[in-house]
Amino acid sequence: MGKFQCGIGAHFRVPPSRPCAAQWAPLLAWALLHSSLSIAQTAGPEPAGREAVPAHAAASAASTAHSLGLERVVVTGTTTRVSKLRSSVSTSTFDSDQVQRTGADSASDILRSVPGVLAQSSGGEGNANVTARGLPLSGGAKLVLFSEDGLPVLGFGDLNFATADTFVRSDFTLDRIEVLRGGSASTLVSNAPGGLFNFISKTGDIAGGRIGLSRGLDFDRTRVDLAYGQPIAERWSFHIGGHYRQGEGPRSVGYNAEGGGQVKGSLTRHFDQGFVRVHFKVLDDRAPVYLPVPVSITGTTSDPLVASLPGFDVLSGAMQSKYWRDDLSVDRDGRVVRTEMRDGYRSQVRAFGLEAESDLSQDWRFEGRMRVSTTTGRFVGPYPAQVASASEIATQIGGPGASLRYANGPLAGQAITDPTVLNGNGLAVRTHLFNTELNDLGNYTHDLRLTRRFDGAQQRTSVTAGYFKMRQFVDADWHWNTYLQEVRGKDSALLDVVDAQGVLVTQGGLVAYGEPFWGNCCVRSYRLRYDTDAPYLAAHWQKGAVDVDGSLRYDIARASGSYAGASGTRPIDVNGDGVLQAPEQNVPVVDPTTQLPVRYTVRYLSYSLGGNYLVSSNIGLFARASRGGRAHADRVHFGGGIRPDGSIAKEVAVNTVKQYEAGVKWNGDQASVFATLFRATTKVTDQDITSTTARFVSRTYEAHGIELEGVLAAGPFDVHAGLTYTRARIASDQITPDQVGQPINSRFMARLAPSYRRGPLRLGLNVIGTSAFPSTRGGIANPGFVQVNAVASLALDKDWTLSATGNNLFNRIGITEIPNSAAGVTADGANTARSIGGRTVFVSLVRAL
């Protein structure tokens, strides 16, 4: 592959035959031409705003605090500018004020407030499991996509240890979030048949900004936010902003695990027929990875009781510790690598984009977006592979008669004479350190559209032809190790094992290089490239109260590259002390001679057809049928998905989703309601990297349900509410047919967000509830839970505002994941699970600029 530089100080890879100019030429040429023509023009009408929407629609945006914004024009998942009331898709919109009122702590956490969306955002700043409408849930956002300003953040939502939410931040630069569920997501974007979450940035069309300082009251975090934008000259506008934060974070990791931030900006040139915009994003951030932790699970599989263990608070405890700050491992090239534990989620993005829209004539309109991004990072997080009595684990590692001693911490070197009372729980944890280098997740994307309008006396028709291109690199190196820890939620120490003869069989708490407890599954190397080309065609017809639209998309997905794993072990003096200690005698390293190719192309067609009938000026009825595909990326390797010659079966390479939906939208003076019935069938083939038994799944899922979203305003009060009922099950299973019929989702998800405003004071709650989540393997069910967040703000004067935000005010345990659920309730209750974080409160002082 060749390399080229696109003027933002970072390298991007493309084939030598496609230089930088060739990638950008169509839109650059168009932008320069129209910008030049516009500069030569005399002053014209007021410049168009970001969306170039009708005045009544723009005005309605200001009223969204008391409505669902059904009059507002949305830009996500559509080629025609019609209001939400006339649209035949289900879209929810959250402006920046509504986002702040959710009390959410991350990009994926915001989505928990959206009807129909399940977001298990308990992993901190990233690694959330996200799905919609009962579609199957897996690591990351498998069937949905995160997008910024109309283009995907990553080409796939579930890249191993690189989920897209890890590279998205919400701050003062955010204008709004548009969430499309189902519908035209199948045809207007690749790899997102379940939905699209579009984070849309401010552009400075309205002058103003904010500067804010936030500080955690019961946890360590300090954060500064700043954003400002305004029109400049006569036809220009700009916006720039970002944030920086640092601290330990909401859990007790024992060191400054959070550090970094982002800067985003844009410059827009308006002209009579449209605009040209350049924008950039620089993200450099660290945040702790929160994986499952040791917990107590008693009761029964269908009615479990989850509680904290003595010495480990599931709400505030963490596997990280100030006594465990780094790791030595061997990378795929055989080099020794020292990793800092504080890297956690290391997210580094440098992106540059160009956006343009214009009415070329009375009947023709052009829209174009493109972005090139370098994305790198790390994923470093401790995972509890086994929680058991300290004596039992010592015997497993060191044989009969083995004993334990502290490997570090204040008691380093001291023998543990009675492990049964260790920390009041007598437990130890065999910890696998998920240590993954994300060397290159860079991508290039563009989406170009040309629309022809045919307006008659009583009807309007538009036809859009588009071309989407995406190139996504996946260059990752896994080098995991195994450690032994005490079960302590704050400042835990590593443990060493001494055999019956007094010989040390561990190395400073390191049990093994690799993870022999899982068969050394996860010492791996990926060097992959995915190219997607997708022409699409959309048409919209409107006559009177009727809107009908349909679209087709033809995806051509190409994969190339190689992957390799370890084949056996060999002795390596990893720490370079001249002595081969016990773990160093068997070190797994990627074997380049076992490298396997990836070389295939798959093609698939998606469609969507919908219609809307405006019963009156404030009531709309709609229905839609869609079929979409989602091409796989790196998750089908090592599990038998890729053939030895690099080819793949189409049914493995592409997951398909068929959906049907129908609903009603009503917009009143003081209330709005949006209700949607849906049904979906999904065919999925995937690999489960956390299982030592069922390595591959191949299933069909069925789901049906209803989404309800509403707003009621009465004087100083308003209430936003959402309710989703979903019934989803495994309809067929080629590998484990005994699981057919098992439910796969929470039946109910609900949100209630009342707020009260009187003078300078505003009070709000965001109550989110989820019913029990059954295990797909007949094991322990995830109990249902309710989380209460609160926001209170006081306007000190026209410029200054003081606010306080509390998350999980009642400090409730909310389990989102039980990895070992299939094993059932253990005799001693020791298990692992991942919960939402405990109560945190932070205060903010914001000044309007």
Side-chain angles (χ1 to χ4, degrees):
M1 297 178 185
K3 289 196 174 186
F4 71 107
Q5 193 166 18
C6 281
I8 61 173
H11 292 280
F12 306 91
R13 302 189 301 178
V14 295
S17 60
R18 290 294 302 253
C20 180
Q23 290 278 4
W24 289 73
L27 193 51
L28 279 173
W30 182 92
L32 291 172
L33 172 63
H34 280 264
S35 181
S36 300
L37 292 175
S38 299
I39 292 173
Q41 292 175 344
T42 59
E46 287 295 317
R50 172 175 182 79
E51 299 175 44
V53 300
H56 74 277
S60 70
S63 66
T64 55
H66 299 290
S67 74
L68 295 176
L70 296 181
E71 305 95 340
R72 184 172 187 168
V73 172
V74 294
V75 298
T76 303
T78 180
T79 59
T80 307
R81 297 179 181 276
V82 296
S83 68
K84 290 170 66 175
L85 191 63
R86 298 201 66 139
S87 173
S88 58
V89 296
S90 297
T91 305
S92 296
T93 305
F94 284 71
D95 61 28
S96 56
D97 178 62
Q98 291 171 304
V99 169
Q100 189 270 336
R101 290 167 60 188
T102 67
D105 200 38
S106 66
S108 55
D109 203 26
I110 299 169
L111 301 176
R112 295 179 60 202
S113 297
V114 181
V117 175
L118 174 63
Q120 295 180 337
S121 55
S122 54
E125 200 67 62
N127 200 37
N129 301 323
V130 186
T131 190
R133 292 184 169 177
L135 300 183
L137 189 72
S138 63
K142 180 181 180 66
L143 298 169
V144 293
L145 271 186
F146 283 76
S147 174
E148 285 187 312
D149 298 317
L151 292 175
V153 175
L154 294 174
F156 306 89
D158 66 340
L159 295 176
N160 280 317
F161 304 104
T163 57
D165 60 317
T166 308
F167 303 95
V168 178
R169 299 291 185 270
S170 173
D171 57 24
F172 288 172
T173 64
L174 179 68
D175 180 63
R176 66 189 186 278
I177 302 173
E178 293 182 351
V179 178
L180 170 64
R181 302 176 296 279
S184 56
S186 293
T187 52
L188 297 183
V189 67
S190 293
N191 299 324
L196 183 63
F197 315 133
N198 193 12
F199 290 70
I200 299 175
S201 306
K202 293 178 181 177
T203 60
D205 293 341
I206 300 175
R210 291 183 292 171
I211 182 171
L213 174 65
S214 301
R215 175 64 188 169
L217 295 184
D218 54 354
F219 70 108
D220 181 23
R221 175 188 292 158
T222 302
R223 173 167 166 153
V224 177
D225 285 78
L226 173 66
Y228 187 79
Q230 68 172 37
I232 52 176
E234 185 175 354
R235 292 177 174 269
W236 295 84
S237 65
F238 79 94
H239 194 275
I240 190 167
H243 72 273
Y244 178 82
R245 52 95 184 268
Q246 67 174 9
E248 181 182 16
R251 290 182 178 266
S252 301
V253 300
Y255 50 85
N256 281 347
E258 295 185 343
Q262 75 171 359
V263 177
K264 291 171 61 180
S266 66
L267 179 65
T268 305
R269 173 66 168 97
H270 301 277
F271 49 92
D272 294 346
Q273 298 83 18
F275 66 87
V276 177
R277 177 175 299 123
V278 293
H279 54 84
F280 74 91
K281 168 181 170 179
V282 177
L283 171 66
D284 193 342
D285 193 29
R286 286 186 175 94
V289 172
Y290 301 136
L291 293 170
V293 297
V295 299
S296 168
I297 302 181
T298 55
T300 64
T301 56
S302 60
D303 187 20
L305 176 62
V306 182
S308 296
L309 290 163
F312 200 115
D313 186 344
V314 66
L315 292 170
S316 62
M319 300 293 294
Q320 292 92 336
S321 169
K322 66 181 181 181
Y323 301 122
W324 184 16
R325 300 300 301 274
D326 55 25
D327 167 74
L328 283 179
S329 55
V330 180
D331 70 8
R332 63 188 176 192
D333 297 318
R335 297 173 299 191
V336 175
V337 177
R338 181 179 296 274
T339 301
E340 293 187 29
M341 294 289 290
R342 73 186 185 101
D343 272 349
Y345 298 115
R346 183 67 191 274
S347 306
Q348 296 175 294
V349 179
R350 284 161 177 76
F352 178 80
L354 181 63
E355 182 178 357
E357 296 185 14
S358 176
D359 289 323
L360 303 179
S361 67
Q362 183 176 356
D363 298 323
W364 290 90
R365 182 173 181 82
F366 171 83
E367 298 178 50
R369 293 175 179 84
M370 56 172 48
R371 182 171 61 227
V372 61
S373 171
T374 57
T375 303
T376 61
R378 292 192 81 106
F379 184 106
V380 184
Y383 182 93
Q386 180 191 18
V387 179
S389 73
S391 300
E392 177 185 347
I393 293 184
T395 300
Q396 290 176 0
I397 295 172
S403 60
L404 295 171
R405 72 185 189 193
Y406 290 98
N408 57 18
L411 302 177
Q414 181 175 313
I416 301 173
T417 57
D418 188 358
T420 62
V421 297
L422 185 63
N423 294 324
N425 53 54
L427 300 172
V429 54
R430 189 193 303 254
T431 301
H432 289 168
L433 182 63
F434 289 2
N435 187 352
T436 302
E437 290 184 87
L438 305 172
N439 298 310
D440 187 0
L441 298 175
N443 60 75
Y444 166 83
T445 311
H446 74 230
D447 190 355
L448 308 177
R449 301 176 181 179
L450 189 63
T451 299
R452 174 70 161 91
R453 294 186 290 263
F454 305 88
D455 294 342
Q458 298 181 347
Q459 66 181 30
R460 295 180 177 179
T461 304
S462 65
V463 177
T464 299
Y467 172 58
F468 174 87
K469 168 70 179 180
M470 183 270 295
R471 172 167 294 160
Q472 178 68 60
F473 294 97
V474 179
D475 186 325
D477 184 4
W478 301 15
H479 33 85
W480 301 4
N481 290 333
T482 304
Y483 290 83
L484 186 62
Q485 283 181 274
E486 59 178 339
V487 176
R488 182 194 293 267
K490 179 178 172 60
D491 300 337
S492 65
L494 297 176
L495 305 177
D496 271 328
V497 179
V498 180
D499 68 14
Q501 287 73 42
V503 177
L504 186 67
V505 297
T506 55
Q507 185 179 356
L510 176 74
V511 174
Y513 291 97
E515 57 301 316
F517 190 64
W518 284 355
N520 283 334
C521 69
C522 301
V523 175
R524 298 180 176 179
S525 169
Y526 298 86
R527 288 186 172 98
L528 305 167
R529 190 181 85 184
Y530 298 92
D531 286 275
T532 301
D533 292 88
Y536 59 93
L537 186 67
H540 180 269
W541 177 78
Q542 181 184 101
K543 182 175 183 180
V546 178
D547 289 80
V548 178
D549 67 280
S551 47
L552 295 170
R553 186 183 193 89
Y554 188 66
D555 278 272
I556 306 168
R558 301 179 180 88
S560 59
S562 64
Y563 64 103
S567 57
T569 62
R570 67 175 187 260
I572 301 176
D573 182 13
V574 179
N575 65 3
D577 65 355
V579 179
L580 282 177
Q581 300 183 52
E584 294 176 320
Q585 294 175 13
N586 297 282
V587 181
V589 181
V590 168
D591 184 353
T593 64
T594 65
Q595 179 174 288
L596 294 171
V598 176
R599 191 182 305 110
Y600 63 83
T601 300
V602 291
R603 297 173 173 83
Y604 57 96
L605 181 69
S606 302
Y607 65 80
S608 186
L609 177 64
N612 188 89
Y613 176 64
L614 206 59
V615 179
S616 65
S617 61
N618 62 346
I619 299 177
L621 303 176
F622 73 99
R624 179 170 289 273
S626 306
R627 180 188 185 276
R630 190 271 185 195
H632 260 301
D634 59 337
R635 284 185 177 261
V636 292
H637 302 76
F638 294 98
I642 305 290
R643 302 184 183 110
D645 64 354
S647 64
I648 192 172
K650 183 177 181 180
E651 59 270 20
V652 174
V654 181
N655 299 154
T656 58
V657 178
K658 291 183 179 179
Q659 296 186 77
Y660 304 92
E661 55 191 302
V664 58
K665 293 161 282 188
W666 172 70
N667 198 31
D669 293 335
Q670 293 182 304
S672 301
V673 175
F674 200 148
T676 307
L677 292 166
F678 60 86
R679 182 177 182 85
T681 302
T682 310
K683 293 184 178 181
V684 168
T685 303
D686 204 353
Q687 179 192 8
D688 181 359
I689 66 166
T690 64
S691 170
T692 58
T693 53
R695 300 295 298 172
F696 223 69
V697 294
S698 181
R699 293 173 178 157
T700 299
Y701 300 87
E702 293 180 351
H704 63 270
I706 183 171
E707 297 167 353
L708 298 173
E709 184 178 11
V711 174
L712 174 64
F717 294 93
D718 67 75
V719 179
H720 289 246
L723 176 65
T724 306
Y725 168 79
T726 308
R727 187 164 186 174
R729 68 184 186 93
I730 301 173
S732 66
D733 192 315
Q734 297 181 17
I735 298 176
T736 51
D738 59 305
Q739 295 187 19
V740 171
Q742 288 191 11
I744 64 167
N745 70 294
S746 300
R747 290 287 183 89
F748 291 96
M749 296 185 296
R751 181 209 182 202
L752 186 66
S755 69
Y756 171 79
R757 171 174 282 176
R758 187 174 183 86
L761 178 66
R762 183 165 189 169
L763 304 173
L765 294 176
N766 191 40
V767 183
I768 305 171
T770 304
S771 64
F773 194 111
S775 169
T776 57
R777 298 172 186 168
I780 304 172
N782 283 15
F785 66 93
V786 175
Q787 178 179 344
V788 179
N789 300 339
V791 178
S793 63
L794 178 66
L796 304 178
D797 60 23
K798 66 181 182 66
D799 294 327
W800 292 91
T801 301
L802 179 66
S803 65
T805 301
N807 289 295
N808 196 5
L809 283 183
F810 297 103
N811 214 35
R812 300 295 187 187
I813 295 175
I815 299 300
T816 61
E817 178 184 353
I818 304 177
N820 300 317
S821 66
V825 177
T826 61
D828 60 1
N831 213 313
T832 64
R834 186 162 66 169
S835 171
I836 61 173
R839 178 174 49 243
T840 56
V841 179
F842 64 90
V843 294
S844 302
L845 183 63
V846 178
R847 187 184 190 279
L849 300 177

